[in-house]
Each structure stands twice: as C-alpha cells, then as structure tokens.
Amino acid sequence: MSSENLSDTPMEYEDEKQDSQEKNANLVKGEEVKLKAKYPGLGQKPGGSDFLMKRLQKGQKYFDSGDYNMAKAKMKNKQLPVAGPDKNLVTGDHIPTPQDLPQRRSSLVTSKLAG
Amino acid sequence: MAGAGGGGNDVQWCFSQVKGAIDDDVAEADIISTVEFNHSGELLATGDKGGRVVIFQQELESKNQPQCRGEYNVYSTFQSHEPEFDYLKSLEIEEKINKIRWLPQKNAAQFLLSTNDKTIKLWKISERDKRPEGYNLKEEDGRYRDPTTVTTLRVPVFHPMDLMVEASPRRVFANAHTYHINSISVNSDCETYLSADDLRINLWNLEITDHSFNIVDIKPANMEELTEVITAAEFHPNQCNTFVYSSSKGTIRLCDMRVSALCDQHSKLFEEPEDPSNRSFFSEIISSISDVKFSHSGRYMMTRDYLTVKIWDLNMESRPVETYQVHEYLRSKLCSLYENDCIFDKFECCWNGNDSVVMTGSYNNFFRMFDRGYRQDVTLEASRESSKPRSVLKPRKVCTGGKRKKDEISVDSLDFNKKILHTAWHPQDNIIAVATTNNLYIFQDKL
C-alpha cells in the first residue's frame, strides 16, 4: 500500500463515521417525532420517574383485606358488588374479593425441557 | 467472509440438540428465563417462568465417535420456587427463576443458587448409586423386625442401584429484598455471594440465612427523586473485594468492599459521554444496561444495552474500548418498539472461554457473535428449520434498504415475539446454549 492511500483512509473513515452517526441521530429523532405525534401528552421526563416507578411496582395487585372486611361488615345484608370486566383494576366502589385474584397454583407439571 | 465467524476465522457452528416442545402454543410456565453452564461445563441448568429448574449433563465422549462431543441429557429437574402472594403488601411474587448461579464444585455434590424476585435458595444436587442392604433390625421393605426373632447378626453391605439424582434445598435466603432481585453472584472466596434488587445490593454468607449485610443502597430519601435503578451486579472473578453494578442510566460502578462497609461511594464510574446532539426521548431507555459480565481474565467487563454490546477495560472509565452494534437497524423502529414494550427487553450477553468472542441475542430468534480479535461478527438463527443433526448454521443477514438480496430478511419481517434473551457459552469448549422462548438449542463447532 502506498503512503498516499494510508493517509487518505483515516480521513474518509472519520467522515463516514460522522455521516452514519448523523444518519442514526436523524433516524432516532424521526422516531421520536412519530411517538410524540401519537402521544402528545407523553411525560416531560423521558424514561424517568414514571417508567421507573412502574418498574418498581411490578406485580402489584389491589386486594386489601382491610377494605374487604370493612365492606363485608358494612354490607352484611346486601350483595357485594361484582367485579367489573377488568378484574385487575380497582375503582371506586368495587370491593375486591379473593375470588377476583387469579388462581395462584404452582406448576406441578414437569418442564417440557425434561420431556 | 470466510467461515461463520466467532472464535476465529474458521469456526463453523453446527446444530447439536434442541430441548422443549415443538408446538407453537407456549404455556407461560415454559418460558425459559435463565441458562447457565457450571464451572466445568459438564452441567447446564435452565430456569423457567414456572419456577422449575432443569439440569442437563454432558455425556462422556464416546470412543466410537471421537468427532462428536458428548450430548446433554436430562440429569435432574425440580421445582425451585412456588408462586406466593404477599398479603401485607398486596404483592404477587412470581415463581419465575430470574437467575441461576453455580458454586464451584468442592465435593461429590453440586450446588447452585437460584432466585426469583424475592427469595434465593441454595440447592444441593447429589447422586446416589448405592443402597445399604442387610440391616439386622429392618426388613428390605423397611418394616421393623421383631428383635426377639433375630438369631444371627450380619453386617449391612452397600449394593449398587440405579443412579438416582436428588435435589434438596439446603438454604433459603428470604426476606432481605423489598424490590425485585435481578442478579446474584457468587464471590471468588466461595463463602459469600451478593444479591441485587432495583435499589439495593446485599452480601450474604452461604452458611447464614437469617441475616445479610446491605452493601449498596441507592434509594433516595424522597422517592420522587428517583432517577435510576440497579439493573445488574457481579463479583469480580478473582478479586474477592471487588464487584460492579450497572444502572438504568447506562453507567457501571465498581466498588471495593475494603473501602467501607457501605459501598454507596463507587471506586470507579464507567460512563460513556453522550453526544448532546444525539439526545432523544429514547436515549435513556436504550442506554439502560440489561447485563454486565466480567471477562474470565478479570481485566475487562462487557455490558449490554438495547442496541449495543460494549467492552470496557477496568483501567479506563471514560469510555468502552470496543462497541459492537447488535441490531442497529432497529433505530428506525424505536417508536413501535416502545409501543409494544420491546424496547424494555433485557438481553443478556456472554464471553467465550478465552474471552476472544462475545455473544448476545436479538429478535427473530437471531443471535450475534463478535470476534474481538478478528473483528468479525456473524448473525445466526436458532430455528427448527436448521435443526438437522450436525448441519452447519448459515449466517443470516437483515437488510434495511430497499433492495433485499436473496436470503436476506427485511427489518419489517422480523418477528419481535421471537426473542433470544438468554445465552450461555461453555467455559472451555465451543459449545453454546441458546434459549428461544420455550426451547433450548445447543450448538457446537464443527470438529
């Protein structure tokens, strides 16, 4: 390889790298514009507290035994309100019951990997 | 490029085995959540969402077929964790096995740690191939003999029996984590291990279950000020005082336990400065580190974020020494990947035995290998179609532009439900275990 070729290559590479980085940045910005167009109210803190809080609270269900027992006592004679279509959501007057919780049963079946 | 890359110019990867059901209807419990070889590579453990552990053992190489390495067959399987409901906090505790880590073997038995979101368990896996027979006071079926009928004495003798592999829980390390455990790591001192959740890291002694020491706590006094969480943690492979933990903001902190009891102050902070012009809504999310692994040598560590794999030299905090693009074509898909939550997928990564090649998973059941020395990379696929015994895997290519060449697949055709999050590399040989959603593939290099 001649020395001329050698000195050209690093410069070209830097230019190309710059170009592809700009292209990448533009692609990502384009995606961001798309997202903001779909969800105009998207949080001020990107990837911040909201998403972290959601992550920390994974697995939270809303059965509250205190509420349940108080409600049972109060409504001795009346029928308990039945859970709405979305059983995982607790809203207003809905008193969650143990029946609303999905059945937690261990996997008694052997793993198919061992089959 | 010559060969299929990975482990030198001439390594060709071949299909060896696949474990699991063929049907497309995948039960949640069968989703594989962790894969780990033991220190010798003889055993391969998997954990799944149903809380079960399956351990495979490599058969001894047969003298008849010196060209083939031993196959992995089921050695033991057990239910490690059960689902629980914490009534006090209204919290469902999944039985999904988040991580399995093997202890180095010290005697005939094998030990591993398995963890779900809240509880770590130490399991002993031992073999029984002999049975005592000829007791004086007991019949063979276990009934007790009337001592008055015993007229002669005999010495009980061990007789061989069919191999039985037993798994028993030896320790249960519970109630030490308020948040969800994401990592466990056994110390090189073989006496202690760490467990990390979103905000805290605890140090345990393997013998002691009723207390652990908190060594990192990043919980802010006011939770409104929370800006980052711990995503992974690992002990240094030979310095028993050193560990690292990664964060959702793309930083890695190295801590030295000799400095202070509480390692909130890091000894080193590894962070690549971001070009402000590249900043976008997605920047922080895609910079979140999903896995951190030390090299076997202990000189380097590797991190995986959504789009790249980075190799860091422990002596240089300012930036990684190598950066590999896993699936850069996804940059133009970030919006939909955010909408379908795929942008939050946590991919793992692993080193080969001599730290020359690194591997990580992607979508469409693709996985990638990067050869650090030869500067080559390859994309391979784990699929039933390429599952003929000893058939060589063909490199795959994703095309981004308009013109799709034959055998290439376009970005829009990728199946984002087929993700390879967990992979493992045998500690010495070129044998890899790749987990698709519910199947475990084992590939070997062509001998």
Side-chain angles (χ1 to χ4, degrees), chain A residues 21 24-25 27-29 31-32 34-36 38-39 42 45-47 49 51-53 55-56 58-64 101-102 104-107 109-114, chain B residues 19-21 30 46 50 52 54 56 74 79 82-83 89-90 92 95 117 180 198 223-224 226-228 277-282 284 328 331-335 339 344 346:
Chain A
Q21 271 181 357
N24 282 342
L27 274 174
V28 177
K29 290 269 163 66
E31 290 297 296
E32 185 171 356
K34 245 196 270 178
L35 193 69
K36 293 232 157 106
K38 276 197 189 181
Y39 308 101
L42 206 50
K45 278 194 249 171
S49 288
F51 132 67
L52 288 181
M53 286 309 218
R55 183 195 169 125
L56 292 180
K58 172 189 88 155
Q60 205 93 29
K61 291 277 188 284
Y62 298 99
F63 175 77
D64 188 314
L101 298 176
R104 299 300 297 146
R105 279 163 55 206
S106 62
S107 323
V109 183
T110 312
S111 163
K112 294 199 180 117
L113 291 183
Chain B
K19 307 279 184 193
D30 291 325
T46 61
R52 302 163 301 191
V54 182
F56 303 92
V74 180
Q79 185 78 36
E82 305 257 347
K89 294 180 195 160
S90 270
E92 196 174 276
E95 67 275 35
D117 282 341
H180 299 107
D198 292 318
M223 282 299 267
E224 302 275 303
L226 182 70
T227 54
E228 66 183 324
S277 65
N278 280 341
R279 183 134 191 91
S280 75
F281 173 82
F282 303 108
E284 195 172 311
E328 204 170 18
R331 273 188 209 272
S332 60
K333 297 273 165 209
L334 290 179
C335 178
E339 288 182 289
F344 301 108
K346 299 192 180 74

Coordinates of all heavy atoms in Angstrom, one line a residue, chain A residues 21 24-25 27-29 31-32 34-36 38-39 42 45-47 49 51-53 55-56 58-64 101-102 104-107 109-114, chain B residues 19-21 30 46 50 52 54 56 74 79 82-83 89-90 92 95 117 180 198 223-224 226-228 277-282 284 328 331-335 339 344 346:
Chain A
Q21 N -23.2 8.6 12.0 CA -23.8 9.0 13.3 C -24.9 10.0 13.1 O -25.9 10.0 13.8 CB -22.6 9.6 14.1 CG -21.9 8.6 14.9 CD -20.8 9.2 15.8 OE1 -20.5 10.4 15.7 NE2 -20.1 8.4 16.5
N24 N -27.9 8.2 12.0 CA -28.5 7.5 13.2 C -29.3 8.5 14.0 O -30.4 8.2 14.4 CB -27.5 6.8 14.0 CG -27.0 5.5 13.4 OD1 -27.6 5.0 12.6 ND2 -25.8 5.1 13.8
A25 N -28.7 9.6 14.3 CA -29.4 10.6 15.1 C -30.7 11.0 14.4 O -31.7 11.2 15.1 CB -28.5 11.8 15.3
L27 N -32.5 9.3 12.3 CA -33.5 8.2 12.3 C -34.2 8.2 13.7 O -35.4 8.1 13.8 CB -32.7 6.9 12.2 CG -32.5 6.3 10.8 CD1 -31.6 5.1 10.9 CD2 -33.7 6.0 10.1
V28 N -33.4 8.3 14.8 CA -33.9 8.3 16.1 C -34.9 9.5 16.3 O -35.9 9.4 16.9 CB -32.8 8.2 17.2 CG1 -33.4 8.2 18.5 CG2 -32.0 6.9 17.0
K29 N -34.4 10.7 15.9 CA -35.2 11.9 16.0 C -36.6 11.7 15.3 O -37.6 12.1 15.8 CB -34.5 13.1 15.5 CG -33.3 13.5 16.3 CD -33.7 14.6 17.4 CE -32.6 14.7 18.4 NZ -31.3 15.2 17.9
E31 N -38.1 8.9 14.8 CA -38.9 8.0 15.6 C -39.6 8.8 16.8 O -40.7 8.5 17.2 CB -38.1 6.9 16.2 CG -37.7 5.9 15.1 CD -38.9 5.2 14.4 OE1 -39.6 4.5 15.1 OE2 -39.1 5.4 13.2
E32 N -38.8 9.7 17.4 CA -39.3 10.5 18.5 C -40.5 11.4 18.0 O -41.5 11.5 18.7 CB -38.2 11.4 19.0 CG -38.6 12.1 20.3 CD -37.4 12.8 20.9 OE1 -36.3 12.7 20.5 OE2 -37.7 13.5 21.9
K34 N -42.5 10.8 15.6 CA -43.6 9.9 15.4 C -44.3 9.6 16.7 O -45.6 9.6 16.8 CB -43.1 8.5 14.8 CG -43.6 8.2 13.4 CD -43.4 6.8 13.0 CE -42.0 6.6 12.4 NZ -41.8 5.1 12.1
L35 N -43.5 9.3 17.7 CA -44.1 8.9 19.0 C -44.8 10.1 19.7 O -45.9 9.9 20.2 CB -42.9 8.5 20.0 CG -43.4 7.8 21.2 CD1 -44.0 6.4 20.9 CD2 -42.2 7.6 22.2
K36 N -44.2 11.3 19.6 CA -44.9 12.5 20.2 C -46.2 12.8 19.4 O -47.1 13.3 20.0 CB -43.9 13.7 20.1 CG -42.7 13.5 21.1 CD -42.5 14.6 22.0 CE -41.7 14.2 23.2 NZ -40.3 14.7 23.1
K38 N -48.2 10.6 18.2 CA -49.2 9.6 18.6 C -49.6 9.9 20.1 O -50.8 9.7 20.4 CB -48.6 8.2 18.6 CG -48.7 7.6 17.2 CD -48.5 6.1 17.4 CE -48.4 5.4 16.0 NZ -48.2 4.0 16.1
Y39 N -48.7 10.3 20.9 CA -49.0 10.5 22.3 C -48.5 11.9 22.7 O -47.5 12.0 23.4 CB -48.3 9.4 23.2 CG -48.5 8.0 22.7 CD1 -47.6 7.4 22.0 CD2 -49.7 7.4 23.0 CE1 -47.8 6.1 21.5 CE2 -50.0 6.1 22.6 CZ -49.0 5.5 21.8 OH -49.2 4.2 21.4
L42 N -47.1 12.8 26.3 CA -46.0 11.9 26.8 C -45.1 12.7 27.8 O -44.7 13.8 27.5 CB -45.2 11.3 25.7 CG -44.5 10.0 25.9 CD1 -45.4 9.0 26.5 CD2 -43.9 9.5 24.6
K45 N -40.4 13.9 31.6 CA -39.2 13.3 31.9 C -39.1 12.0 31.1 O -39.6 11.0 31.5 CB -39.1 13.0 33.4 CG -38.7 14.2 34.3 CD -38.4 13.7 35.7 CE -39.5 14.2 36.7 NZ -39.3 13.6 38.0
P46 N -38.4 12.1 30.0 CA -38.3 10.8 29.2 C -37.6 9.7 30.0 O -36.5 9.9 30.5 CB -37.5 11.3 28.0 CG -36.8 12.5 28.4 CD -37.5 13.1 29.5
G47 N -38.2 8.6 30.0 CA -37.6 7.4 30.6 C -37.3 7.6 32.1 O -36.5 7.0 32.7
S49 N -38.9 9.1 36.0 CA -39.6 8.6 37.2 C -40.8 7.7 36.9 O -41.0 6.7 37.5 CB -40.0 9.7 38.1 OG -38.9 10.2 38.7
F51 N -41.6 5.7 34.5 CA -41.3 4.4 34.0 C -40.6 3.6 35.1 O -40.8 2.4 35.3 CB -40.6 4.5 32.6 CG -39.3 3.7 32.5 CD1 -39.4 2.3 32.4 CD2 -38.1 4.3 32.3 CE1 -38.2 1.6 32.2 CE2 -37.0 3.6 32.1 CZ -37.0 2.2 32.0
L52 N -39.7 4.3 35.9 CA -39.0 3.6 37.0 C -40.0 3.2 38.0 O -39.9 2.1 38.6 CB -38.0 4.5 37.6 CG -36.8 4.8 36.7 CD1 -35.8 5.7 37.4 CD2 -36.1 3.5 36.3
M53 N -41.0 4.0 38.4 CA -41.9 3.7 39.4 C -42.7 2.5 39.0 O -43.0 1.6 39.8 CB -42.9 4.9 39.6 CG -42.3 6.0 40.4 SD -41.5 5.4 41.9 CE -41.9 6.7 43.0
R55 N -41.8 0.2 37.1 CA -40.9 -1.0 37.2 C -40.8 -1.5 38.6 O -40.8 -2.7 38.9 CB -39.5 -0.6 36.7 CG -38.5 -1.7 36.6 CD -37.1 -1.1 36.5 NE -36.1 -2.1 36.7 CZ -35.2 -2.5 35.8 NH1 -35.1 -1.8 34.7 NH2 -34.3 -3.4 36.1
L56 N -40.7 -0.6 39.5 CA -40.6 -1.0 40.9 C -41.9 -1.6 41.4 O -41.8 -2.4 42.4 CB -40.3 0.3 41.8 CG -38.9 0.9 41.6 CD1 -38.7 2.1 42.5 CD2 -37.8 -0.1 41.8
K58 N -43.9 -3.6 39.8 CA -44.3 -4.7 39.0 C -45.0 -5.8 40.0 O -44.4 -6.1 41.0 CB -43.1 -5.3 38.3 CG -43.4 -6.7 37.6 CD -42.1 -7.3 37.2 CE -41.4 -8.1 38.2 NZ -40.5 -9.1 37.7
G59 N -46.1 -6.3 39.6 CA -46.7 -7.4 40.4 C -47.7 -6.9 41.4 O -48.2 -7.7 42.2
Q60 N -47.9 -5.6 41.4 CA -48.8 -5.1 42.5 C -50.3 -5.4 42.1 O -50.7 -5.2 41.0 CB -48.7 -3.5 42.5 CG -49.1 -2.9 43.9 CD -47.9 -2.8 44.8 OE1 -46.8 -2.6 44.3 NE2 -48.1 -2.9 46.1
K61 N -50.9 -6.0 43.1 CA -52.4 -6.3 42.9 C -53.1 -5.4 43.9 O -52.4 -4.8 44.8 CB -52.7 -7.7 43.2 CG -52.2 -8.7 42.1 CD -53.1 -8.7 40.9 CE -52.8 -9.8 39.9 NZ -51.7 -9.5 39.1
Y62 N -54.3 -5.3 43.9 CA -55.0 -4.3 44.7 C -56.0 -4.9 45.7 O -56.9 -4.3 46.1 CB -55.7 -3.3 43.9 CG -54.7 -2.5 43.1 CD1 -54.4 -2.8 41.8 CD2 -53.9 -1.5 43.7 CE1 -53.5 -2.1 41.1 CE2 -52.9 -0.9 43.0 CZ -52.7 -1.2 41.7 OH -51.7 -0.5 41.0
F63 N -55.7 -6.1 46.1 CA -56.6 -6.7 47.2 C -56.2 -6.1 48.5 O -55.0 -6.2 48.9 CB -56.4 -8.2 47.2 CG -57.2 -8.9 48.3 CD1 -58.6 -9.0 48.2 CD2 -56.5 -9.3 49.5 CE1 -59.3 -9.6 49.3 CE2 -57.2 -9.8 50.5 CZ -58.6 -10.0 50.4
D64 N -57.1 -5.6 49.2 CA -56.8 -5.0 50.5 C -57.7 -5.7 51.5 O -59.0 -5.5 51.5 CB -57.1 -3.5 50.5 CG -56.6 -2.9 51.8 OD1 -56.9 -3.4 52.9 OD2 -55.9 -1.8 51.7
L101 N -58.9 -12.5 42.5 CA -57.5 -12.7 42.3 C -57.3 -13.9 41.4 O -58.0 -14.9 41.6 CB -56.7 -12.9 43.6 CG -56.8 -11.7 44.5 CD1 -56.1 -12.0 45.8 CD2 -56.1 -10.5 43.9
P102 N -56.4 -13.9 40.4 CA -56.2 -15.1 39.6 C -55.6 -16.2 40.5 O -54.9 -16.0 41.4 CB -55.1 -14.6 38.6 CG -54.5 -13.4 39.2 CD -55.5 -12.8 40.1
R104 N -53.5 -18.8 42.0 CA -52.0 -18.9 42.1 C -51.8 -20.4 42.4 O -51.9 -20.9 43.5 CB -51.4 -18.1 43.2 CG -51.7 -16.6 43.0 CD -51.1 -16.1 41.7 NE -49.7 -16.2 41.6 CZ -49.0 -16.5 40.5 NH1 -49.6 -16.6 39.4 NH2 -47.7 -16.5 40.5
R105 N -51.4 -21.1 41.3 CA -51.1 -22.5 41.6 C -49.8 -22.8 41.0 O -49.4 -22.4 40.0 CB -52.2 -23.4 40.9 CG -53.4 -23.5 41.7 CD -54.6 -24.0 41.0 NE -54.3 -25.3 40.3 CZ -55.0 -25.7 39.2 NH1 -55.9 -24.9 38.7 NH2 -54.7 -26.8 38.7
S106 N -49.0 -23.6 41.8 CA -47.7 -23.9 41.3 C -47.7 -24.9 40.1 O -48.7 -25.5 39.9 CB -46.9 -24.6 42.5 OG -47.5 -25.8 42.8
S107 N -46.6 -24.9 39.4 CA -46.6 -25.7 38.2 C -46.2 -27.2 38.7 O -45.1 -27.5 39.0 CB -45.5 -25.3 37.3 OG -45.4 -23.9 37.3
V109 N -46.7 -29.7 36.8 CA -46.3 -30.4 35.6 C -44.8 -30.3 35.4 O -44.2 -29.2 35.7 CB -47.0 -29.8 34.4 CG1 -46.7 -30.6 33.1 CG2 -48.5 -29.7 34.6
T110 N -44.2 -31.3 35.0 CA -42.7 -31.3 34.7 C -42.4 -30.4 33.5 O -43.2 -30.4 32.6 CB -42.2 -32.7 34.5 OG1 -42.7 -33.6 35.5 CG2 -40.7 -32.8 34.5
S111 N -41.3 -29.8 33.5 CA -40.9 -28.9 32.4 C -40.8 -29.7 31.1 O -40.4 -30.8 31.2 CB -39.6 -28.2 32.7 OG -39.0 -27.7 31.6
K112 N -41.2 -29.1 30.0 CA -41.2 -29.8 28.7 C -39.7 -30.0 28.3 O -39.4 -30.8 27.4 CB -42.0 -29.0 27.7 CG -43.5 -29.1 28.0 CD -44.3 -28.7 26.8 CE -45.8 -28.8 27.2 NZ -46.5 -27.5 27.1
L113 N -38.8 -29.2 28.9 CA -37.4 -29.4 28.5 C -36.9 -30.7 29.0 O -36.0 -31.3 28.4 CB -36.6 -28.3 29.2 CG -36.7 -26.8 28.7 CD1 -35.7 -26.0 29.5 CD2 -36.5 -26.7 27.2
A114 N -37.5 -31.3 30.0 CA -37.1 -32.5 30.6 C -37.8 -33.7 29.9 O -37.6 -34.9 30.2 CB -37.3 -32.6 32.1
Chain B
K19 N -34.1 -28.8 22.9 CA -34.9 -29.3 24.0 C -36.2 -28.5 24.1 O -36.2 -27.3 23.9 CB -34.2 -29.2 25.4 CG -32.8 -29.7 25.4 CD -32.8 -31.2 25.6 CE -31.4 -31.8 25.7 NZ -31.4 -33.2 25.6
G20 N -37.3 -29.2 24.4 CA -38.5 -28.5 24.6 C -39.6 -28.9 23.6 O -39.3 -29.6 22.6
A21 N -40.8 -28.4 23.8 CA -41.9 -28.8 22.9 C -41.8 -28.0 21.6 O -41.3 -26.9 21.5 CB -43.2 -28.5 23.6
D30 N -43.6 -22.4 30.6 CA -42.5 -23.0 29.9 C -41.5 -21.9 29.4 O -40.5 -22.3 28.7 CB -43.0 -23.8 28.7 CG -43.7 -25.0 29.2 OD1 -43.3 -25.6 30.2 OD2 -44.8 -25.4 28.6
T46 N -31.2 -24.8 33.4 CA -32.2 -23.8 32.9 C -33.2 -23.5 34.0 O -33.5 -24.4 34.8 CB -32.9 -24.2 31.6 OG1 -33.6 -25.4 31.9 CG2 -31.9 -24.5 30.5
G50 N -42.2 -20.9 35.3 CA -43.0 -21.7 36.2 C -42.2 -22.1 37.5 O -42.7 -22.9 38.3
R52 N -39.4 -23.8 37.7 CA -38.7 -25.1 37.6 C -37.3 -24.9 37.1 O -37.0 -24.1 36.3 CB -39.5 -26.0 36.7 CG -40.9 -26.2 37.2 CD -41.8 -26.7 36.1 NE -41.9 -25.9 34.9 CZ -42.7 -26.1 34.0 NH1 -43.6 -27.1 34.0 NH2 -42.7 -25.3 32.9
V54 N -34.3 -27.2 35.3 CA -33.9 -28.5 34.6 C -32.4 -28.5 34.4 O -31.8 -27.5 34.0 CB -34.6 -28.6 33.3 CG1 -34.2 -29.9 32.6 CG2 -36.1 -28.5 33.4
F56 N -29.1 -30.4 32.7 CA -28.6 -31.3 31.7 C -27.2 -31.7 32.0 O -26.4 -30.8 32.5 CB -28.8 -30.8 30.3 CG -30.1 -30.3 30.0 CD1 -30.6 -29.0 30.2 CD2 -31.0 -31.2 29.4 CE1 -31.8 -28.6 29.9 CE2 -32.3 -30.8 29.1 CZ -32.7 -29.5 29.3
V74 N -31.0 -34.9 30.2 CA -31.6 -34.5 31.5 C -30.9 -35.3 32.6 O -30.8 -36.5 32.6 CB -33.1 -34.8 31.5 CG1 -33.7 -34.3 32.9 CG2 -33.8 -34.0 30.4
Q79 N -38.8 -28.4 41.2 CA -39.5 -27.2 41.4 C -38.7 -26.3 42.4 O -38.6 -26.7 43.6 CB -40.9 -27.5 42.0 CG -41.8 -26.3 42.1 CD -42.4 -25.9 40.7 OE1 -42.7 -26.7 39.9 NE2 -42.5 -24.6 40.5
E82 N -42.1 -21.5 44.3 CA -43.5 -21.6 44.1 C -44.1 -20.1 44.1 O -43.5 -19.3 44.7 CB -44.2 -22.3 45.3 CG -43.6 -23.7 45.5 CD -44.5 -24.8 45.0 OE1 -45.7 -24.4 44.7 OE2 -44.1 -25.9 44.9
P83 N -45.2 -20.0 43.5 CA -45.8 -18.6 43.5 C -46.3 -18.3 44.9 O -46.7 -19.1 45.6 CB -47.0 -18.7 42.5 CG -47.3 -20.2 42.4 CD -46.0 -20.9 42.7
K89 N -48.5 -6.6 51.6 CA -48.2 -5.5 50.6 C -49.0 -5.6 49.3 O -48.8 -4.8 48.4 CB -46.7 -5.6 50.2 CG -45.7 -5.3 51.3 CD -44.3 -5.4 50.9 CE -43.3 -5.4 52.0 NZ -42.0 -6.0 51.6
S90 N -49.9 -6.5 49.3 CA -50.7 -6.8 48.1 C -49.8 -7.0 46.9 O -49.9 -6.4 45.9 CB -51.6 -5.5 47.8 OG -52.8 -5.7 48.4
E92 N -47.9 -9.7 44.4 CA -47.8 -11.1 43.8 C -46.4 -11.4 43.6 O -45.6 -10.6 43.0 CB -48.5 -11.1 42.5 CG -48.9 -12.5 42.0 CD -49.7 -12.3 40.7 OE1 -50.9 -12.1 40.9 OE2 -49.1 -12.3 39.6
E95 N -43.0 -16.9 40.6 CA -42.1 -18.0 40.9 C -41.0 -18.1 39.8 O -40.1 -18.9 39.9 CB -42.9 -19.3 40.9 CG -43.5 -19.8 39.6 CD -44.9 -19.2 39.3 OE1 -45.1 -18.1 39.7 OE2 -45.7 -19.9 38.7
D117 N -38.0 -13.3 42.4 CA -37.9 -11.8 42.7 C -37.6 -11.5 44.2 O -37.1 -10.4 44.5 CB -39.3 -11.2 42.4 CG -39.6 -10.9 41.0 OD1 -38.6 -10.9 40.2 OD2 -40.7 -10.8 40.6
H180 N -37.4 -6.0 43.5 CA -37.2 -7.3 42.8 C -35.8 -7.6 42.5 O -35.0 -6.9 41.9 CB -38.0 -7.3 41.5 CG -39.5 -7.1 41.7 ND1 -40.1 -5.9 41.4 CD2 -40.4 -7.9 42.2 CE1 -41.4 -6.0 41.8 NE2 -41.6 -7.2 42.3
D198 N -33.6 -3.7 42.6 CA -33.6 -2.4 41.9 C -32.9 -1.3 42.6 O -32.3 -0.4 42.0 CB -35.1 -2.0 41.6 CG -35.8 -2.8 40.7 OD1 -35.2 -3.2 39.6 OD2 -37.0 -3.1 40.9
M223 N -38.8 9.3 47.3 CA -38.9 8.5 46.1 C -39.2 9.3 44.8 O -39.0 8.8 43.7 CB -40.0 7.4 46.2 CG -39.5 6.3 47.1 SD -38.1 5.4 46.3 CE -38.9 4.1 45.4
E224 N -39.7 10.5 45.0 CA -39.9 11.4 43.8 C -38.6 11.7 43.1 O -38.6 12.1 41.9 CB -40.6 12.7 44.2 CG -41.9 12.5 45.0 CD -43.1 12.4 44.0 OE1 -43.3 13.3 43.2 OE2 -43.8 11.4 44.1
L226 N -36.3 9.7 42.5 CA -35.6 8.5 41.9 C -35.3 8.7 40.4 O -36.2 9.1 39.7 CB -36.6 7.3 42.0 CG -36.1 6.0 41.5 CD1 -35.0 5.5 42.4 CD2 -37.2 5.0 41.4
T227 N -34.1 8.5 40.1 CA -33.7 8.7 38.7 C -33.1 7.5 38.0 O -33.1 7.4 36.8 CB -32.7 9.9 38.5 OG1 -31.6 9.6 39.3 CG2 -33.3 11.2 38.8
E228 N -32.6 6.6 38.8 CA -32.0 5.4 38.2 C -32.2 4.2 39.2 O -32.3 4.4 40.4 CB -30.6 5.6 37.8 CG -29.6 5.8 39.0 CD -28.2 6.1 38.5 OE1 -27.8 5.5 37.5 OE2 -27.5 6.9 39.1
S277 N -26.1 16.1 20.7 CA -26.9 16.2 19.5 C -27.6 14.9 19.3 O -28.6 14.9 18.5 CB -26.0 16.6 18.3 OG -25.1 15.5 18.1
N278 N -27.2 13.8 19.9 CA -27.9 12.5 19.7 C -29.0 12.3 20.7 O -29.7 11.3 20.6 CB -26.9 11.4 19.9 CG -26.0 11.2 18.6 OD1 -26.4 11.6 17.6 ND2 -24.9 10.5 18.8
R279 N -29.2 13.2 21.6 CA -30.1 13.0 22.7 C -31.5 13.0 22.2 O -31.9 13.8 21.4 CB -30.0 14.1 23.7 CG -30.9 13.9 24.9 CD -30.2 14.1 26.2 NE -31.1 13.7 27.3 CZ -31.1 12.5 27.8 NH1 -30.2 11.6 27.3 NH2 -31.9 12.1 28.7
S280 N -32.3 12.0 22.6 CA -33.7 12.0 22.2 C -34.5 11.4 23.4 O -34.0 11.0 24.4 CB -33.9 11.1 21.0 OG -33.8 9.7 21.4
F281 N -35.8 11.3 23.1 CA -36.7 10.7 24.2 C -36.2 9.3 24.5 O -36.3 8.8 25.6 CB -38.1 10.7 23.6 CG -39.1 9.9 24.5 CD1 -39.6 10.5 25.6 CD2 -39.4 8.6 24.2 CE1 -40.5 9.8 26.5 CE2 -40.2 7.9 25.1 CZ -40.8 8.5 26.2
F282 N -35.7 8.6 23.5 CA -35.3 7.2 23.7 C -33.9 7.0 24.3 O -33.6 5.9 24.8 CB -35.3 6.5 22.3 CG -36.6 6.6 21.6 CD1 -36.8 7.3 20.5 CD2 -37.7 5.8 22.1 CE1 -38.0 7.4 19.8 CE2 -38.9 5.9 21.4 CZ -39.1 6.7 20.3
E284 N -32.3 7.6 27.1 CA -32.0 7.0 28.4 C -32.5 5.5 28.4 O -31.9 4.6 28.9 CB -32.7 7.7 29.5 CG -32.2 7.3 30.8 CD -32.8 8.2 31.9 OE1 -32.7 9.4 31.8 OE2 -33.3 7.6 32.9
E328 N -28.5 -2.5 14.8 CA -28.7 -1.0 14.6 C -29.9 -0.7 13.8 O -30.4 0.4 13.9 CB -27.4 -0.5 14.0 CG -27.2 1.0 14.3 CD -25.9 1.5 13.9 OE1 -25.2 0.9 13.1 OE2 -25.5 2.6 14.4
R331 N -33.0 1.2 15.0 CA -33.1 2.6 15.3 C -34.4 3.2 14.6 O -35.0 4.2 15.1 CB -31.9 3.4 14.9 CG -30.8 3.4 15.9 CD -29.7 4.3 15.6 NE -28.5 3.8 16.2 CZ -28.0 4.1 17.4 NH1 -28.7 4.9 18.1 NH2 -26.9 3.5 17.9
S332 N -34.7 2.7 13.4 CA -35.8 3.3 12.7 C -37.1 2.7 13.1 O -38.1 2.9 12.6 CB -35.6 3.0 11.2 OG -35.5 1.7 11.0
K333 N -37.1 1.9 14.2 CA -38.3 1.2 14.6 C -38.6 1.5 16.1 O -39.5 0.9 16.7 CB -38.1 -0.3 14.6 CG -37.9 -0.9 13.2 CD -39.2 -1.1 12.5 CE -39.1 -1.3 11.0 NZ -40.3 -0.9 10.4
L334 N -37.8 2.4 16.7 CA -37.9 2.7 18.1 C -39.3 3.0 18.6 O -39.7 2.7 19.6 CB -36.9 3.7 18.5 CG -35.4 3.3 18.5 CD1 -34.5 4.4 18.9 CD2 -35.2 2.1 19.4
C335 N -40.0 3.8 17.7 CA -41.4 4.2 18.1 C -42.2 3.0 18.3 O -42.9 2.9 19.4 CB -42.0 5.1 17.0 SG -43.6 5.6 17.4
E339 N -43.9 1.2 21.8 CA -45.3 0.9 21.9 C -45.6 -0.5 22.3 O -46.5 -0.8 23.1 CB -46.1 1.3 20.6 CG -46.2 2.7 20.4 CD -47.0 3.0 19.1 OE1 -46.4 2.7 18.0 OE2 -48.1 3.5 19.2
F344 N -38.0 -2.4 26.2 CA -37.6 -2.7 27.6 C -37.1 -4.2 27.7 O -36.9 -4.6 28.9 CB -38.8 -2.5 28.5 CG -39.3 -1.1 28.5 CD1 -40.5 -0.8 27.9 CD2 -38.6 -0.1 29.0 CE1 -41.0 0.5 27.8 CE2 -39.0 1.3 28.9 CZ -40.2 1.5 28.3
K346 N -34.8 -7.3 28.2 CA -33.5 -7.3 28.8 C -32.7 -8.5 28.2 O -32.9 -9.6 28.5 CB -33.7 -7.5 30.3 CG -34.4 -6.4 31.0 CD -34.3 -6.5 32.5 CE -35.1 -5.4 33.2 NZ -36.5 -5.5 33.2

